[in-house]
């Protein structure tokens, strides 16, 4: 359903992880976007903070989080 890749946030000079949805199924995309919204609201030492979210050039959702 998804993959996580390493990336560099050039604006802030930090390493990040980007989670991308791979499925073209609308149900999977909706579940992924719900996951991003829930994760963004949570604050706990055991939960990776979410920095950003959006859609790529193909319209697939992604979110950016702290690399651990």
């Amino acid at each position: 359903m998804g993959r996580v890749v390493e990336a560099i946030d050039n604006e802030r000079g930090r390493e990040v992880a980007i989670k991308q949805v791979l499925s073209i199924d609308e149900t999977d995309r909706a579940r992924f976007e719900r996951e991003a919204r829930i994760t963004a609201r949570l604050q706990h030492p055991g939960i990776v903070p979410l920095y950003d979210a959006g859609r790529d050039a193909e319209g697939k959702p992604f979110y950016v989080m702290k690399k651990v």
Side-chain angles (χ1 to χ4, degrees), residues 30-54:
R31 184 178 300 130
F32 184 89
E33 290 175 339
R34 181 172 180 258
E35 174 185 322
R37 284 192 305 274
I38 291 169
T39 303
R41 290 192 306 242
L42 299 174
Q43 293 184 2
H44 184 274
I47 299 173
V48 177
L50 192 137
Y51 294 148
D52 196 10

Side-chain angles (χ1 to χ4, degrees), residues 47-67:
I47 299 173
V48 177
L50 192 137
Y51 294 148
D52 196 10
R55 289 186 175 257
D56 65 15
E58 297 174 1
K60 293 181 182 177
F62 69 90
Y63 62 85
V64 182
M65 59 194 148
K66 179 179 179 180
K67 181 186 167 205

